[in-house]
Each structure stands twice: as structure tokens, then as C-alpha cells.
């Protein structure tokens, strides 16, 4: 005879009893589901998905990263908006993107269908890279570079919002990426001096 | 008459022996907790009315960020931890008929927690630590802020160790045998709390030394790993405590007895072994660690801890169903549910907390804790939407539900305004449901958390960002939900504070429904046909819930695949 007890009093001396039909059924179903979620995340999506978090990262001195970003801007700048440089890097190349209070720089002009290796870091505090309207997000840490390969498949204007609190001007920290149609990334307004 | 012998009294309702020194500490911790809840709730009102862009109540971003930080600290840390320490004192002494090991030490613990928490609130509100409660380096904050937080954490750690020593001591002396499941759950929570608080100290001590100028650099990635061992770990403590309270409320209100004691305990052991791995949920899109390590940890090692939660999700309603059926409520699949004591605040709090945590908080957490899907959730409003479903709709409401019993019994006063208490869980739950729907939708549309103004006035560069009109509607829904939930929270504060200060004194205080089985010794289960389900209604409900889980899981992967950028 199985004894049961309230959760507020000591259980019967023999409280380990065989599982009933209900528990056996539920335990089997949920264990299978837990395993399925694990396989999906660790094996299936890595094999078939186009949005992965397998990016590499490495340490960097923030000042050194700042120097590299400035050199990148100087080499490829085509314009400026509100004092923020606009840069059109060669298709398929490396792209430096630096967060600092309270801006992302530079503004990027990319070409649809090209793959760019984004090197993302911060000059000062932690920031959040939130690309809208697609809504994908990465944490940006000073002293670390995240090297993320990104391929825009559709042209248009994308915003980068900072979504990690970084100080009193956090809500004004916005960057931008303009993606031009294939072969036309640097057309007309793109080459204004 | 209350029997009073050598600092003990015997509770006339439950027959439990109460150590008077523990009783006073429970009172102070519980009242402090409720004061922090009221404070944090006031901040919640201001924040909700600011993020509702059409109202945008707070005009100064500096004050907005101060208040967001103070809201987080008051609610996520101080309300919860003071209440949990009150719960540990209750579960470690009263419930076990045991004496408090070192009352003086317990007062020191309380004093440290109170002083530390006040220091944190003062520094945050006076602008010396406008760094959110996460205080990610290299943001700068006053050494008084980190110092206060550490004093609080050490006080809490001592209180937890005191509880463990109390239980082990009572067991050692043979005063208690096998722990009741509720106390066992508290012990699990305490074990998790030790890990949590040690991890917190490991993160905060270097940050404190840096603020003093003793060391120059704190690695931001290492800090995030250690801090979330504390920040997320603390939520696992809440989880274990909340589930213990669910079991307790099920026993108190309908006389539920776990259908398989061993299985329920095994599920708690899974928490001890695996749940703290989940602290990596916060650094899934950080630089630093490899994706395999992050994935294994964020899955709680192949979802072993999720399995624990799914066991509780089944055994709690199943034990309620079996208890109801044993009372003769056997009509159909759900007759036991229809005839449940919906008017008892303890039962209402249990069901609303259980459903909201399980359906909204639990499912969303497991899904967005997946390493790839986290990309479309990280630091958007989806994150606070998730944890408001777990910590507020789940944990906080469960704490409210149990305090409808503990507060009258400890203060020996009748529950104040029982009619208000009766409606409180429903008002609070409805508010949180609306709030979560609005906040979750806004986050899904990309709205960042901890953000002063997503309309970016006067910022040409932001033109066209977050322009979907649904966003403004979602934020309005969120704020309206918050107003309803805050009303529900205020109802609780009125009942709790009213009971403490205005309730009619009584040795047999009116506490509402107590099923006699709740305090009765173990008894044989009613016989049933082993070829049929014992709790068929629960099997049906759990199947529907799992189907919803599978559906939402699939939808989330679909959403991720809709990101137009290829990310590698
Ligand atoms: Cu920022």
C-alpha cells in the first residue's frame, strides 16, 4: 500500500515508490522533448541554419582598435552625416564597427549579397549592437573583438540601436547601415565628396 | 490562551511550536520585504508611464535611468531576498518545530542586509550609481554602492548558511526526520543560494576594488560570467522556493499530496545538479567563450534542469486532481477543477502563478535561452517580458499567496480585508498577462530594454528606426497592463500591511482555507486501477501545454530564419 503525505509534514519512511502510469508517460514524453530541443540547437540548426552564433572573438586593446577603425574610415570614407563618417568598404572585405558613447561609427554603405567580416568592439564601455528592423543582437565589449560574418540579402536602410545601457545618452546612440542593390552600392549620392 | 514556555509558543491553528526569537526575525524580514515591494512598485508605475511614449512621464533621462536601476534592485533583489530569508527562518524553525540556532547572529544578518540594501538604494537614487543593478564594468559607480551590495550579499549568505546549519543541526540531534517536501525545497533553494552569492561576491569584490582605485581593470567578459552566476542564479533560488510554495499551497488549500514523493524530490535534485549552468543564458551573444560551451551550459546540460521543471509542472496539478477526486469530485475530465476553491486567495495565487509562470515565463525562457534564438531576443524588451512573467507573475504572486497564511499566523492577527485578498491574485495576474503581451510584442519588434525614448526626437540618423506603428500600440498595452498589475500589487500591500498593523488580534487568526490533510500524517493513497491514468485531467492539460510549447518553439526558429541577413 502506497502512502502519501502532505508537503508540510514528514513523508512516510519509504517515500521512494515505483512510478505510476501517469508519471511514466509524462517522463518519457518530456525526456524525448528535452532531447529533441538539444539536438535541434546543437546539431540540426548548426547544419542547416543561415543565422549562427559561431563567430570568433579575440582580445584587443581598445585604443588599438580605435586606431584600426580610424585607418579603415580614412581608407574608405565617402561622406559624413551629422559628423559621423560614412564608409563604403570594398565588397567582401573587412568592416570595422566601433561603439563609443554615444555613437556607432562609421555609418556603413554595403552591397547586397556580399559577405563582410564585421570586426565589432567598443572604445569605452559595454554597448549593444541591435540591428533593426531585422532585430538581431550582439553584446559589444571593450577589449574584445567579435568577428562576425554578415551578408545582407536585401537592400535598404538598417539601423543599429544601442541596447545595452551605456550612460546618460544611451538612448541617442544610433548607427546606420545602407545596403545598396547588387552592383550599385556606390551609386549617385554615395560618392559625394 | 497561547502556551508560552521558555521563549516558545504553540500555534493554535497548526499545532506547530514557534520559537519566539525566530518569530520576531520573520516579522522584521517580512515587513522589510513588503516595504521594498511597495517602493519598487511605485518605481514600476513611473517607468511604465514613461515607456508609454504617448505619456512619457519622466522628462529627464538621468532620473529615468536612476529609477530603472532602483526598481531592479528593490524588486529583483531586496523584496525577493528579504521575503526568502523570512521563508527560510519559517521553514528552518517553525515548520520543523526546531529552535533558531543563533538568534543574535540572525539579527546581525538582518542588520547587514538592511544597511546594505539602504546603501544601494541611496547611492542609486542620488545618482552615485546610475549603472542599473547589473553595473557592468567599466561603467563607474561609487564604492559605497558596491560596498553596500557586498554587505547585503554577505548578510544574505550568512542567513542562508544559518538556515542550512539549523536544518542539519535539527536533523543531527534527531529532532526532525526526513524533511517535509516544502522544507526540502527550501533546502535546495538555500544550496543554490550559496553558489549564487559566492558568484556574486566574486564579481562584485573586484568591481568594488576598482571603484576604490585599488585595481585598475576588471575584465568585462569575466564580470558578466560571474555576475550572471549571481543574477540568474538568484532567479533559480526563486524558482526552487516558488515551487516549494506551490506544493505547500496545494497541500494547504485542497490537501494535495505529491503523487510520487520520490519523483518530486528527484526533480529538485536535478536543479541542484544542473540549473546553475543557466547563468550563461546572459552571455550567449557575447565575445569570449566558444559556442559549444555556451550551448551546453544554456541547455542546462541537455535540458536536464528543464526536465525537473516539467516534472513539477505535471506532479503539482496531478496531486491537486487526485486530492479533489478523493473528495468525490470525479465528474468528467475537469470536474475536480471546476469545483476547486477559486475564492480562496491561496488557491487563486497558486493557480495564477503556476499557469503564468509555466505557460509564459517557462516556455519563453527555454526558447530564448537557446543559443541561436537568443540573437533575436538579447537585450530587447523580450528579456524583461520573460522575467516579469517568471519573477513577478510567478515568484512574487506565489510569495503573496503563501503570505496570506504566514502573515496572520506569525503576527496572530486576522487577515485584513479578506474580500480584497480574494480578488487580488486575479487582478494582479490579469495585469501581468496584459503587461507581458504588450512588452513581449514590443520586444519582438526590436524595442530595446532600459531605453529612455525610442522615438529618438531630433536625431536625424535614427529616422525610420522602430517606425512600425504596432510598436506604439504594444507599449501602450504594456503600460495599461502595468497599471492593472500595480493595482493588484497595491491590493496585496494593503492586505499585508493592514493585517500586520490593523488586523484583529487573535490566537486563532482567520487565515482562510486550511485543508485538514495539510497537517495530517501520511496516509495510504486511495486505490485506483493501475491500467488507467490516475489524473486524466492533468494528462490532458499537460498535453495541451506541451503542444503549445512545441508550437512556440517551432515559431521561434521560423522567426530566426526570417532574418534577412546571413550570420556566421
Ligand atoms: Cu551604447
Amino acid at each position: 500500500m502506497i502512502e502519501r503525505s502532505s508537503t508540510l509534514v514528514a513523508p512516510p519512511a519509504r517515500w521512494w515508490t515505483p512510478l505510476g502510469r501517469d508519471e511514466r508517460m509524462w517522463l518519457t514524453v518530456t525526456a524525448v522533448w528535452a532531447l529533441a530541443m538539444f539536438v535541434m540547437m546543437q546539431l540540426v540548426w548548426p547544419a542547416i541554419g543561415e543565422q549562427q552564433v559561431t563567430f570568433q572573438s579575440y582580445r584587443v586593446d581598445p585604443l588599438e582598435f580605435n586606431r584600426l577603425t580610424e585607418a579603415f574610415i580614412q581608407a574608405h570614407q565617402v561622406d559624413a552625416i551629422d559628423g559621423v563618417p560614412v564608409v563604403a568598404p570594398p565588397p567582401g572585405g573587412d568592416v570595422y564597427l566601433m561603439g563609443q558613447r554615444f555613437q556607432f561609427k562609421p555609418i556603413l554603405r554595403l552591397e547586397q549579397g556580399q559577405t563582410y567580416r564585421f570586426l565589432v568592439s567598443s572604445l569605452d564601455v559595454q554597448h549593444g549592437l541591435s540591428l533593426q528592423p531585422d532585430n538581431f543582437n550582439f553584446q559589444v565589449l571593450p577589449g574584445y573583438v567579435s568577428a562576425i560574418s554578415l551578408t545582407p540579402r536585401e537592400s535598404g536602410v538598417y539601423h543599429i540601436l544601442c541596447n545595452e545601457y551605456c550612460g546618460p545618452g544611451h538612448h541617442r546612440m544610433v548607427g546606420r547601415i545602407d545596403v545598396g542593390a547588387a552592383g550599385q552600392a556606390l551609386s549617385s549620392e554615395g560618392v559625394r565628396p | 490562551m497561547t502556551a508560552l514556555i521558555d521563549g516558545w509558543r504553540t500555534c493554535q491553528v497548526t499545532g506547530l511550536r514557534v520559537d519566539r526569537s525566530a518569530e520576531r526575525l520573520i516579522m522584521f524580514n517580512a515587513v522589510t520585504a513588503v516595504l521594498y515591494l511597495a517602493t519598487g512598485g511605485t518605481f514600476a508605475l513611473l517607468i511604465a508611464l514613461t515607456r508609454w511614449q504617448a505619456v512619457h512621464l519622466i522628462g529627464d533621462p538621468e532620473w529615468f535611468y536612476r529609477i530603472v536601476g532602483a526598481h531592479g534592485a528593490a524588486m529583483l533583489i531586496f523584496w525577493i531576498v528579504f521575503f526568502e530569508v523570512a521563508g527560510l527562518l519559517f521553514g528552518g524553525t517553525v515548520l520543523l518545530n526546531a529552535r533558531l540556532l543563533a538568534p543574535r547572529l540572525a539579527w546581525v544578518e538582518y542588520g547587514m542586509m538592511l544597511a546594505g540594501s539602504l546603501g544601494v538604494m541611496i547611492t542609486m537614487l542620488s545618482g552615485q550609481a546610475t549603472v542599473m543593478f547589473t553595473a557592468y564594468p567599466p561603467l563607474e559607480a561609487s564604492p559605497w554602492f558596491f560596498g553596500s551590495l557586498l554587505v547585503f550579499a554577505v548578510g544574505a549568505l550568512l542567513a542562508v548558511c544559518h538556515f542550512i546549519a539549523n536544518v542539519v543541526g535539527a536533523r543531527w540531534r534527531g529532532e526532525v526526520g526526513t524533511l517535509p517536501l516544502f522544507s526540502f525545497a527550501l533546502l535546495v533553494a538555500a544550496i543554490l543560494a550559496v553558489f549564487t552569492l559566492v558568484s556574486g561576491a566574486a564579481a562584485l569584490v573586484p568591481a568594488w576594488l576598482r571603484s576604490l582605485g585599488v585595481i585598475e581593470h576588471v575584465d568585462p567578459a569575466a564580470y558578466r560570467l560571474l555576475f550572471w552566476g549571481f543574477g540568474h542564479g538568484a532567479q533559480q533560488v526563486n524558482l526552487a522556493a516558488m515551487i516549494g510554495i506551490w506544493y505547500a499551497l496545494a497541500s494547504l488549500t485542497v490537501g494535495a499530496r505529491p503523487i510520487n514523493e520520490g519523483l518530486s524530490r528527484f526533480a529538485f535534485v536535478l536543479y541542484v545538479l544542473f540549473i546553475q549552468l543557466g547563468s550563461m543564458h546572459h552571455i550567449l551573444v557575447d565575445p569570449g567563450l566558444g559556442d559549444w560551451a555556451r550551448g551546453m551550459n544554456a541547455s542546462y546540460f541537455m535540458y536536464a534542469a528543464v526536465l525537473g521543471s516539467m516534472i513539477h509542472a505535471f506532479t503539482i496539478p496531478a496531486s491537486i486532481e487526485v486530492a479533489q477526486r478523493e473528495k468525490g469530485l470525479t465528474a468528467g475530465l475537469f470536474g475536480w477543477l471546476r469545483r476547486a476553491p477559486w475564492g480562496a486567495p491561496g488557491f487563486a495565487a497558486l493557480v495564477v502563478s503556476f499557469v503564468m509562470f509555466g505557460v509564459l515565463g517557462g516556455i519563453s525562457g527555454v526558447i530564448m535561452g537557446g543559443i541561436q534564438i537568443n540573437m533575436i531576443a538579447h537585450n530587447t524588451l523580450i528579456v524583461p517580458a520573460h522575467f516579469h512573467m517568471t519573477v513577478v507573475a510567478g515568484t512574487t504572486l506565489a510569495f503573496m499567496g503563501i503570505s496570506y497564511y504566514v502573515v496572520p499566523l506569525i503576527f496572530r492577527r486576522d487577515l485584513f480585508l479578506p474580500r480584497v485578498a480574494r480578488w487580488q491574485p486575479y487582478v494582479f495576474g490579469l495585469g501581468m498577462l496584459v503587461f507581458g503581451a504588450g512588452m513581449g510584442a514590443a520586444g519582438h519588434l526590436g524595442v530595446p530594454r532600459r531605453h529612455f525614448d525610442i522615438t529618438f526626437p531630433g536625431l536625424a540618423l535614427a529616422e525610420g528606426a522602430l517606425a512600425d506603428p504596432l510598436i506604439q500600440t504594444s507599449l501602450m498595452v504594456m503600460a495599461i497592463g502595468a497599471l492593472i498589475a500595480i493595482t493588484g500589487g497595491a491590493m496585496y500591500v494593503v492586505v499585508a500591511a493592514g493585517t500586520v498593523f490593523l488586523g484583529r488580534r487573535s490566537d486563532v487568526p482567520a487565515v482562510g482555507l486550511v485543508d485538514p490533510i495539510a497537517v495530517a500524517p501520511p496516509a495510504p493513497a486511495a486505490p485506483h486501477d493501475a491500467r488507467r491514468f490516475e489524473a486524466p485531467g492533468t494528462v490532458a492539460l499537460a498535453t495541451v501545454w506541451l503542444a503549445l510549447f512545441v508550437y512556440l518553439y517551432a515559431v521561434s526558429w521560423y522567426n530566426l530564419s526570417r532574418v534577412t541577413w546571413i550570420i556566421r
Side-chain angles (χ1 to χ4, degrees), chain A residues 33 37 40 45 49 51 134-135, chain B residues 303 359-360 362-377 382 440 444 547-563:
Chain A
W33 173 236
M37 287 195 296
M40 179 68 192
W45 190 262
Q51 296 80 17
D134 278 56
N135 189 27
Chain B
Y303 292 108
V359 175
L360 301 168
I363 291 180
S364 68
V366 173
I367 292 176
M368 67 197 256
I371 181 165
Q372 298 94 351
I373 289 177
N374 188 258
M375 264 190 297
I376 55 173
I382 294 176
H444 183 66
L548 179 71
F549 194 163
V550 174
Y551 169 74
L552 292 173
Y553 189 68
V555 166
S556 301
W557 285 109
Y558 174 74
N559 286 340
L560 178 62
S561 77
R562 297 288 290 167
V563 170

Side-chain angles (χ1 to χ4, degrees), chain B residues 251-275:
Chain B
S251 288
L252 278 168
T253 54
V254 298
R257 302 177 297 169
I259 54 168
N260 191 302
E261 185 85 29
L263 185 62
S264 293
R265 284 171 193 251
F266 170 69
F268 277 116
V269 172
L270 286 177
Y271 284 171
V272 174
L273 295 178
F274 298 109
I275 206 155

Side-chain angles (χ1 to χ4, degrees), chain A residues 1-13 15-27 29-43 45-46 48-59 81-82 84 101 104 107 110 118 124-128 130-154 157-159 161-177 179, chain B residues 61-62 65 95 130-132 136-139 178-182 219-221 224 247-248 251-252 256-263 265 284-288 291-292 294-296 299 302-303 306-307 310-311 314 322 366 370-372 375-380 443-446 448-453 456-466 517-520 522-525 530-535 539 542-543 545-546 549-550 553 557 560-561 563-568:
Chain A
M1 176 106 306
I2 292 172
E3 284 204 321
R4 285 177 180 160
S5 79
S6 156
T7 59
L8 299 172
V9 301
W15 50 265
W16 180 262
T17 52
L19 299 177
R21 185 185 161 90
D22 303 49
E23 302 96 282
R24 277 201 308 275
M25 182 280 303
W26 183 248
L27 210 53
V29 171
T30 53
V32 168
W33 173 236
L35 201 62
M37 287 195 296
F38 180 73
V39 169
M40 179 68 192
M41 181 174 86
Q42 293 290 59
L43 299 173
W45 190 262
I48 65 163
E50 290 187 305
Q51 296 80 17
Q52 304 291 353
V53 257
T54 47
F55 65 88
Q56 301 289 306
S57 58
Y58 53 90
R59 283 179 201 269
I81 300 175
D82 290 350
V84 185
R101 303 201 232 193
F104 283 104
I107 294 167
L110 306 181
F118 275 63
D124 40 42
V125 299
Q126 306 195 13
H127 299 284
S130 180
L131 193 129
Q132 301 299 336
D134 278 56
N135 189 27
F136 62 86
N137 306 275
F138 291 97
Q139 189 77 14
V140 183
L141 303 184
Y144 287 85
V145 176
S146 303
I148 310 164
S149 273
L150 292 174
T151 314
R153 282 185 292 192
E154 288 177 14
V157 174
Y158 298 88
H159 287 97
L161 310 179
C162 178
N163 69 0
E164 184 59 77
Y165 172 77
C166 55
H170 159 59
H171 50 281
R172 300 184 62 77
M173 181 163 170
V174 178
R176 213 173 82 186
I177 300 177
V179 177
Chain B
E62 168 68 26
Y65 291 126
L95 206 60
T130 313
V131 291
M132 304 293 139
Y136 292 135
L139 284 176
T178 309
L179 294 179
L181 187 62
F182 175 63
D219 186 285
R224 283 171 62 81
Y247 276 110
S251 288
L252 278 168
R257 302 177 297 169
I259 54 168
N260 191 302
E261 185 85 29
L263 185 62
R265 284 171 193 251
L284 294 179
V285 295
D286 280 26
D291 54 316
W292 180 257
R294 281 176 285 146
M296 286 304 278
S299 69
M302 296 188 276
Y303 292 108
V306 175
L307 192 60
M310 303 230 272
I311 290 172
F314 184 83
V322 170
V366 173
I371 181 165
Q372 298 94 351
M375 264 190 297
I376 55 173
H378 178 75
N379 273 3
T380 70
H444 183 66
L445 295 166
R449 65 188 293 197
R450 297 171 166 178
H451 200 281
F452 174 64
D453 192 342
F456 310 102
L459 200 60
L461 203 53
E463 205 160 306
L466 300 179
I517 293 174
V519 285
R531 286 165 304 172
R532 317 185 73 141
F533 286 126
E534 197 178 357
V539 170
T543 306
W545 175 79
L546 190 59
F549 194 163
V550 174
Y553 189 68
W557 285 109
L560 178 62
S561 77
V563 170
T564 63
W565 293 57
I566 299 171
I567 305 167
R568 291 198 186 278

Side-chain angles (χ1 to χ4, degrees), chain B residues 111-129:
Chain B
M112 288 177 77
M113 286 169 63
L114 184 65
S117 66
L118 287 174
V120 168
M121 296 306 286
I122 291 167
T123 47
M124 289 190 109
L125 287 172
S126 63
Q128 297 171 66

Side-chain angles (χ1 to χ4, degrees), chain B residues 349-417:
Chain B
L350 162 62
V351 174
V352 175
S353 159
F354 179 86
V355 170
M356 301 227 8
F357 186 99
V359 175
L360 301 168
I363 291 180
S364 68
V366 173
I367 292 176
M368 67 197 256
I371 181 165
Q372 298 94 351
I373 289 177
N374 188 258
M375 264 190 297
I376 55 173
H378 178 75
N379 273 3
T380 70
L381 277 183
I382 294 176
V383 175
H386 154 71
F387 72 70
H388 279 80
M389 295 304 102
T390 54
V391 185
V392 187
T395 305
T396 294
L397 187 52
F399 286 7
M400 290 168 170
I402 197 77
S403 61
Y404 289 139
Y405 288 94
V406 174
V407 170
L409 288 176
I410 288 295
F411 286 87
R412 279 180 287 159
R413 288 170 183 269
D414 283 354
L415 192 66
F416 186 66
L417 297 181

